[in-house]
């Protein structure tokens, strides 16, 4: 015989009946002791009627509930016997306590059967509104329908487009667009008020606050919440992971996620603990309550979208095995197959090229030029590599109306590509086919890019400024020694020397005891005698190169510092010493050049941490300055200047009051008897007088990455603005000089400034006398450079930046050359069974709630 299964709401009704009967027994006992037998027998009659109603209720739920029905019949017989005894008995001969105990014993057997013989049954409802977002709920649904205790319904809800006046426009219902294996229940036939499901899952949090669309108002979160035990919100997209969950910028950015669905849901299920911390901190700031309240509501169990990408093709269980040329996935359209295989039957490399709406709007014609260059590169390599281009589905509707001239050029590019028939153009509604078919990703930053990272396949974010894919030398550190420019490679372990007279570039070798494919190894170069000293950023040690002998050497740092990424951000030379300023390594290192002895200056750390107003992963910001026997560094989190006396390392913390309220985040090289304080983001450049400790504003700018001084002028360069600034040291006259690219690294060579761009590897020379600009080409001989693993380079790039960004060296061509035969599925913790974990957690939550 099958056990009766009832939903929690039904069980609660049954238990309420039993509780009422139990209270009635107590009242009967009191009435009998008070000699009020007439009232006692009337109440017994009502108990029998109540038991009959309970039996009918349970039989209606399951016709084969013989055990509990039999116990209810026994209970009714006991009630009848007690009734008869009271009616026929002589007052003094009635044993009140014995009758009460018989009633309680019979009822307890019914209660025990209800709790132990009848498993609960749960009703779970999924209420998506767009079929394209079903993957944000799908794996939870799959876990629920496999659970024999659950009745599961998928009830797609309708939505409206918004008109310009914010009123409802076109009506949409996508119930017919879901996968064939999903049984759909029409929203008009599912009565929420009557059924009161145990759990409702939603993925749309905006309700009336969405400016583009709105789900039907009867399905707003406040309406759903009153009809369920637990309303659960799972976001429909993946978000970028914040660097610092406590940081001001993170909290301000995350404030956009405060929506009705998030605030009203009983549980909000997020992709990671890191993102959860950021959201909790944001809610504390903007919505009050205590941390415990939000930490109970907001949980991190991963995103079901991770589950989807982990089961894309037949290789999912063969981690590290090569995907066969003939292996297919039901997600891959059949018409794509001819593009995936070579004439000899071998498998082509397939690269998923994703172009976003935001990138086209932001970069305009430059983006069109970029797309043309990408298509040309793929066409050249079409025999070995297949382009799978998937543009954002809203590009046509948005660009055609907002930027018609841009749209005409873009449309020509698309039409020419599609008519050529040599690559795949994916305009399907489901992006998972592109995930399954491709071996690597190339394109714009988007939620798709964040999700693609979870496949473990190579991923490279495109750089719109890179239009030619020969390998360029890319650096951020430039140092001029009076004859040559010295620079370290951004993407790998390599030192280069450049001749500023003829722009020849020479590979000088690699740094010992470091990884070959490390990214942004060093940050800053200093010189003493014939030796160059390199400040380790991601490198493990301080590196030394002797220009006279050509030898590389290493100064070993203590073990706990070697393991830190982004450890030091600047290096200063002073007499026989080098001073390295800790970034994520909370220390200042003094290196004795003559003895190689290292001292760690850390007496200031505890107090500086206590003074932090804003959270930063570093206590000091680059660069520092040595003046008058003192070492100066700026602390962006504390708004203070750290001054250390070099004779005995005694320190002083100087608070800087910024009169106009701008928050200063960077300190650059000191000039004469004052420092230049520069903003990392938009803000003011100040000079700080070391003798009077006063600030003077120089100018306002969007962002500053580096600066220099030649004769009577300061020069300030930006990584976001296509210009740089020249400011006269005395008159403060400002000249804004345009340039084709944004600048990241500079060095002065006599009366010229050599400049290199951020990531792309373009070089410019600015003549400070003639005010003329020249673009130059530092060509390197690729054959001189040791082989480097493209996949490892991409992984190091990703580790440093959160995702791998295209550079002039690690560009589209490098991605094409990378071994893509082996597709590695890197299933991280909670990344391939999120749906199952969410279902188990939510079901357990309902089970544990007081009935």
């Amino acid at each position: 015989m099958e056990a009766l299964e009832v939903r929690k709401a039904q069980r609660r009704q049954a238990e309420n009946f039993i509780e009422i009967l139990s209270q009635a027994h107590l009242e009967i006992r009191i009435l009998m002791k008070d000699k009020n037998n007439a009232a006692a027998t009337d109440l017994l009659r009502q108990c029998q009627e109540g038991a009959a109603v309970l039996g009918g209720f349970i039989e209606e739920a399951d016709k084969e509930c013989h055990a509990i029905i039999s116990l209810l019949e026994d209970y009714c017989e006991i009630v009848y016997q007690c009734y008869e005894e009271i009616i026929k008995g002589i007052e003094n001969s009635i044993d009140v306590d014995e009758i009460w105990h018989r009633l309680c014993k019979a009822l307890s057997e019914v209660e025990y059967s209800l709790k132990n013989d009848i498993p609960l049954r749960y009703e779970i409802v999924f209420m998506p509104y767009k079929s394209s977002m079903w993957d944000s709920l799908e794996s939870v649904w799959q876990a629920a329908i496999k659970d024999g205790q659950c009745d599961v319904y998928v009830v797609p809800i309708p939505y409206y487009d918004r008109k310009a006046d914010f009123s409802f426009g076109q009506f949409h219902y996508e119930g017919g667009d879901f996968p064939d294996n999903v049984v759909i229940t029409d929203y008009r036939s599912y009565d929420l008020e009557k059924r009161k499901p145990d759990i409702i899952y939603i993925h749309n949090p905006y309700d009336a606050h969405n400016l583009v669309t709105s789900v039907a108002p009867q399905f707003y979160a406040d309406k759903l919440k009153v009809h369920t035990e637990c309303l659960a919100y799972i976001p429909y997209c993946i978000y970028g992971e914040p660097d610092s969950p406590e940081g001001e910028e993170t909290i301000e950015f995350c404030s956009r996620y405060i929506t009705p669905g998030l605030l009203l849901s009983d549980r909000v299920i997020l992709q990671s603990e890191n993102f959860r911390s950021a959201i909790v901190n944001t809610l504390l700031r903007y919505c009050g309550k205590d941390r415990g309240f939000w930490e109970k509501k907001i949980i991190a169990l991963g995103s079901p979208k991770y589950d989807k990408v982990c089961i894309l093709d037949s290789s999912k269980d063969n981690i590290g095995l090569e995907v066969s040329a003939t292996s297919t996935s039901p997600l891959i359209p059949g018409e794509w197959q001819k593009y995936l295989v070579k004439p000899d039957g071998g498998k082509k490399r397939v690269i998923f090229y994703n172009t976003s709406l935001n990138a086209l709007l932001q970069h305009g014609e430059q983006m069109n030029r970029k797309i043309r260059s990408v298509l040309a590169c793929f066409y050249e390599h079409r025999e070995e590599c297949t382009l799978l281009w998937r543009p954002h589905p809203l590009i046509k509707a948005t660009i055609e109306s907002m930027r018609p001239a841009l749209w005409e050029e873009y449309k020509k590019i698309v039409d020419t590509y599609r008519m050529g028939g040599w690559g795949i153009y994916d305009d399907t509604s489901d992006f998972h086919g592109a995930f399954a078919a491709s071996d690597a990703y190339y394109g714009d930053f988007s939620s798709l890019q964040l999700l693609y990272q979870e496949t473990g396949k190579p991923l490279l974010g495109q750089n719109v400024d890179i239009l030619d894919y020969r390998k360029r030398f890319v650096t951020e550190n430039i140092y001029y020694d009076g004859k040559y420019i010295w620079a370290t490679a951004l993407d790998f372990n390599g030192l280069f020397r450049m001749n500023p007279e003829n722009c020849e570039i020479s590979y000088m070798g690699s740094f010992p005891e470091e990884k070959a494919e490390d990214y942004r190894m060093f940050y800053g170069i200093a010189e003493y005698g014939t030796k160059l000293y390199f400040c380790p950023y991601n490198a493990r040690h301080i590196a030394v190169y002797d220009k006279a002998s050509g030898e590389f050497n290493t100064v070993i740092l203590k073990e706990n510092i070697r393991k830190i990424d982004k450890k030091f951000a600047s290096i200063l030379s002073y007499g026989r010493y080098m001073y390295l300023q800790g970034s994520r390594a909370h220390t200042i290192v003094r290196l004795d050049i003559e003895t190689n002895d290292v001292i760690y200056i850390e007496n200031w750390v505890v107090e500086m941490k206590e003074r932090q107003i804003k959270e930063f992963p570093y206590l000091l910001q680059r660069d520092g300055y040595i003046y008058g026997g003192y070492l100066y560094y700026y602390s962006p989190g504390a708004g203070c200047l750290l001054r250390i006396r070099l004779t005995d390392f005694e320190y002083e913390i100087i608070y800087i009051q910024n009169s106009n309220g701008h928050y200063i985040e960077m300190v650059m090289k000191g000039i004469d008897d004052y420092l230049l304080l520069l903003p990392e983001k938009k803000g003011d450049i100040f000079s700080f007088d070391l003798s009077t400790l006063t600030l003077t504003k120089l100018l306002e700018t969007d962002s500053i990455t580096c600066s220099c001084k030649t004769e009577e002028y300061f020069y300030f360069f930006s990584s976001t603005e296509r210009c740089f600034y020249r400011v006269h040291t005395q008159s403060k006259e400002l000249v804004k000089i345009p340039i084709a690219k944004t600048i990241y690294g500079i060095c002065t060579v006599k009366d010229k400034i050599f400049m290199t761009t951020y990531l792309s590897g373009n070089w410019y020379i600015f003549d400070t006398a003639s005010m003329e600009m020249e673009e130059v080409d530092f060509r390197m001989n690729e054959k001189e450079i040791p082989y480097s693993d493209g996949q490892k380079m991409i992984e190091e790039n990703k580790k440093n930046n959160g995702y791998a960004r295209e550079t002039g060296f690690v560009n589209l061509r490098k991605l094409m050359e990378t071994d893509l035969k082996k597709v590695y599925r890197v299933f991280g913790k909670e990344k391939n069974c999120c749906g199952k974990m969410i279902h188990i957690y939510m079901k357990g939550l309902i089970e544990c709630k007081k009935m």
Side-chain angles (χ1 to χ4, degrees), residues 238-241 271-272 302-312 316 319 435 441 446-459 795 798 802-803 823-834:
I238 300 296
Y239 300 105
E241 291 291 334
Q271 66 198 45
S272 69
S303 170
K305 295 175 79 71
Y306 293 143
D307 295 336
K308 185 75 171 183
V309 302
C310 288
I311 56 171
L312 289 179
K316 65 180 183 301
I319 300 175
F435 276 45
Y441 174 105
S446 68
S447 59
L448 277 189
Q449 184 191 53
L450 295 170
L451 188 57
Y452 197 93
Q453 289 184 160
E454 302 306 324
T455 67
K457 302 176 185 180
L459 180 151
E795 285 302 313
K798 173 188 173 184
Y803 67 95
V823 179
Y824 293 93
R825 298 279 186 249
V826 184
F827 295 153
K829 181 184 178 183
E830 304 179 353
K831 289 289 179 70
N832 63 333
C833 55
C834 303

Side-chain angles (χ1 to χ4, degrees), residues 23-48 79 82-83 86-87 91 103:
Q23 293 296 325
H25 295 174
L26 288 172
E27 184 64 24
I28 290 168
R29 186 184 187 192
I30 293 170
L31 290 171
M32 291 172 61
K33 284 184 178 292
D34 290 341
K35 313 299 183 183
N36 191 351
N37 290 347
T41 54
D42 185 62
L43 197 51
L44 278 170
R45 179 183 53 77
Q46 294 180 43
C47 285
Q48 192 170 41
V79 170
C82 292
Y83 177 88
I86 295 172
I87 292 293
E91 275 190 13
L103 291 171

